Amino acid sequence: MKAVWPIFLSAIAGVTLATAPLEPPAGKLLFGAWYDRNNSDTPSDVNTRFNYKPLSFFQTDIDFSGVVKPWTAPTITTQFLQQLEDTNTDAIAFLTVYPFQGFANITGSNFKNTFIAVFLTQHVFKLSDAQLADMAQRLNDIVNAGHSVFFRFASEMNGSWFPYGQDPIGFISAWIRCITYWRNALGSNASKVAFIWSPNSGNGYPYPDETYSFDANNTSPANLANLKVLDTNNNGKLDAEDDPYLPYYPGDDYVDWTNLMTFIADGTEYDSTVGGWDDNSIPVSGKFEHYLNGDTTDPETYGYAPFYTYFASSTGSKNSNGTVVSAGSKPLIISETAATYHFAWIDPIGKPAIKGNATRLEIKQGWYEQFLTADFISNYPQMKAVSTFEFIKSEEVTWRDFTVFGMAPDPDPTSPNFTADANGVAAAISAYAQSLDFITYANVTSSSSSSAGSFSTVKSGAVGGNDFSGLFAIFVSLGTVFLSGLIF
């Protein structure tokens, strides 16, 4: 497979762009949503509130690996797929594997931050074929039931809030191992599963002072090897002027789509007196585009590097040594984006009125009308999919509304109720979307009497007793990584 993919991709690069799995035709854009399953929302409910055409794809809070976490369980994948089936459309299922155990975790310790990593890097630890085969079978079951799949592995790997974060050597070796296996195992269904490389937006990189921030004081050989990869400006440390993307890129051969999460528009300024963003202001014009392009003069706000140029434009990208990292022209998905309306303090005692007088509708329109335009699609033709973030939740110091498709049916009678305002936003975006001929929607299908049966066997973690920690035991020796040329 490794020998075939470079030839295939180089042959199509710059000739015709609509060649990646699930990529819509030139000038078209898939429109989807991340819905709040825990708040009793469903894809069908979102489509009803949108009140126009069925959305192209949906995602929710599940870990396809089957690892049980407080916020997920083995039954949730089946529930999600059934809810998708209930839309009576061919909407794409957006799924994610979160390697919470880390890439070099063998017995429960975080070896990438300990001296024992020296010994682990002398061997190649791989996920068993049985575990990979289980996931491939479940992917095949989904495709055979009528739904294509967007598939993310270890998203936000450049972040510092997940155990697998900021470990480029471990990430790339794990990515190549898994994606190669899954492509082969999918067979003829491979064209209906798109593997998405999904870093976090580079603003704020390298995200210091988080739980899993890179430890500059760790002098183990493994940590120093990662630092050598991460230190793209060659000043001996990891800082805001290091590239937030290129050290983590597995290579064009192994990536179908790229993804940037521009989860933004919390307000115009951080309020240190209350410890959070708290103003209702219309998003600054051009801010979305600025995120795609980065800004070397303000990496804290927009990221240091030009993501779109690197991976979606035909320009592509090179590392500091002049080696090509990506030839570019990859389709881009924005998997999470939102504009925030602050509607209440979490703790209102002693707090002033929330700053800003922009309405919920003005804030939402000020955001999505920056990028859902014909001119923007013309200027950024490889942006091929956008997902909204349909949540209302508390963050930092305020209660926040991130939705654009209206308020989910909250079963909690004590929750704040602003259904009329929220549904007004949904009506506005529905009317706006009807004027846009570049948005592609899902196709309506006939209701299947066997749909429940189709997904009753799609069980999370069927292999290994729901223990997927083996996936994250992939750690290649440093010598093997550098000699193979997989990293630059």
Side-chain angles (χ1 to χ4, degrees), residues 55 118 137 162 225 260 276 293 297 389 416 443 480:
L55 297 182
V118 178
Q137 182 58 57
F162 289 142
L260 189 65
N293 294 324
T297 66
F389 189 70
N443 297 304
T480 301

Side-chain angles (χ1 to χ4, degrees), residues 35 41-48 55 58-59 80 83-84 87:
Y35 70 97
D41 209 3
T42 69
S44 295
D45 288 334
V46 173
N47 282 339
T48 297
L55 297 182
F58 287 93
Q59 57 181 316
F80 164 62
Q83 290 177 345
L84 199 65
T87 65

Side-chain angles (χ1 to χ4, degrees), residues 175-196:
W175 176 282
I176 291 173
R177 160 68 175 160
C178 294
I179 272 60
T180 299
Y181 185 97
W182 286 325
R183 279 177 172 169
N184 289 332
L186 284 166
S188 61
N189 283 337
S191 63
K192 297 179 181 180
V193 177
F195 293 101
I196 301 174

Side-chain angles (χ1 to χ4, degrees), residues 168-169 214 222-232 234 482 488:
I169 294 175
F214 188 81
N223 207 61
L224 292 176
N226 266 330
L227 177 59
K228 185 176 181 180
V229 174
L230 294 170
D231 179 23
T232 59
N234 300 312
F482 291 119
F488 310 153

Side-chain angles (χ1 to χ4, degrees), residues 51-348:
N51 195 30
Y52 180 43
K53 293 181 179 180
L55 297 182
S56 305
F57 63 96
F58 287 93
Q59 57 181 316
T60 192
D61 61 324
I62 59 175
D63 179 3
F64 194 63
S65 73
V67 174
V68 179
K69 294 291 176 183
W71 48 271
T72 189
T75 58
I76 292 176
T77 300
T78 301
Q79 180 195 53
F80 164 62
L81 295 171
Q82 187 58 59
Q83 290 177 345
L84 199 65
E85 185 76 357
D86 291 342
T87 65
N88 294 322
T89 73
D90 62 353
I92 298 168
F94 192 118
L95 300 169
T96 302
V97 170
Y98 296 96
F100 289 116
Q101 307 303 316
F103 301 119
N105 190 297
I106 307 301
T107 62
S109 299
N110 192 351
F111 289 130
K112 75 173 185 178
N113 290 325
T114 66
F115 187 76
I116 199 170
V118 178
F119 300 100
L120 293 178
T121 54
Q122 306 305 312
H123 306 281
V124 179
F125 293 96
K126 294 182 178 180
L127 170 69
S128 71
D129 284 355
Q131 289 172 304
L132 283 172
D134 168 61
M135 297 186 72
Q137 182 58 57
R138 289 188 281 131
L139 286 173
N140 273 316
D141 289 343
I142 295 168
V143 173
N144 293 336
H147 295 279
S148 299
V149 179
F150 280 138
F151 200 80
R152 292 190 304 180
F153 173 72
S155 61
E156 301 177 74
M157 82 301 294
N158 60 338
S160 55
W161 39 87
F162 289 142
Y164 57 80
Q166 302 191 343
D167 178 11
I169 294 175
F171 169 74
I172 289 176
S173 60
W175 176 282
I176 291 173
R177 160 68 175 160
C178 294
I179 272 60
T180 299
Y181 185 97
W182 286 325
R183 279 177 172 169
N184 289 332
L186 284 166
S188 61
N189 283 337
S191 63
K192 297 179 181 180
V193 177
F195 293 101
I196 301 174
W197 178 70
S198 180
N200 193 65
S201 177
N203 52 301
Y205 185 82
Y207 323 109
D209 303 321
E210 295 280 353
T211 303
Y212 298 100
S213 294
F214 188 81
D215 184 5
N217 295 319
N218 183 345
T219 59
S220 71
N223 207 61
L224 292 176
N226 266 330
L227 177 59
K228 185 176 181 180
V229 174
L230 294 170
D231 179 23
T232 59
N233 63 359
N234 300 312
N235 67 352
K237 60 184 178 180
L238 179 60
D239 57 30
E241 294 185 0
D242 285 314
D243 197 292
Y245 308 124
L246 297 185
Y248 305 90
Y249 191 63
D252 288 344
D253 298 356
Y254 304 97
V255 173
D256 295 323
W257 288 57
T258 62
N259 167 42
L260 189 65
M261 292 181 285
T262 55
F263 189 73
I264 184 48
D266 288 332
T268 56
E269 62 181 61
Y270 185 88
D271 188 345
S272 60
T273 64
V274 297
W277 300 85
D278 65 342
D279 65 303
N280 287 320
S281 304
I282 296 175
V284 175
S285 178
K287 196 168 189 177
F288 186 96
E289 184 175 24
H290 213 156
Y291 276 105
L292 292 186
N293 294 324
D295 187 339
T296 57
T297 66
D298 189 7
E300 179 65 27
T301 303
Y302 297 108
Y304 184 80
F307 188 91
Y308 189 90
T309 299
Y310 275 2
F311 306 108
S313 79
S314 59
T315 302
S317 53
K318 297 180 180 180
N319 65 15
S320 59
N321 297 322
T323 303
V324 173
V325 177
S326 174
S329 296
K330 293 288 184 182
L332 168 67
I333 183 171
I334 306 297
S335 67
E336 299 173 44
T337 191
T340 308
Y341 181 77
H342 305 265
F343 60 87
W345 297 105
I346 297 174
D347 179 9

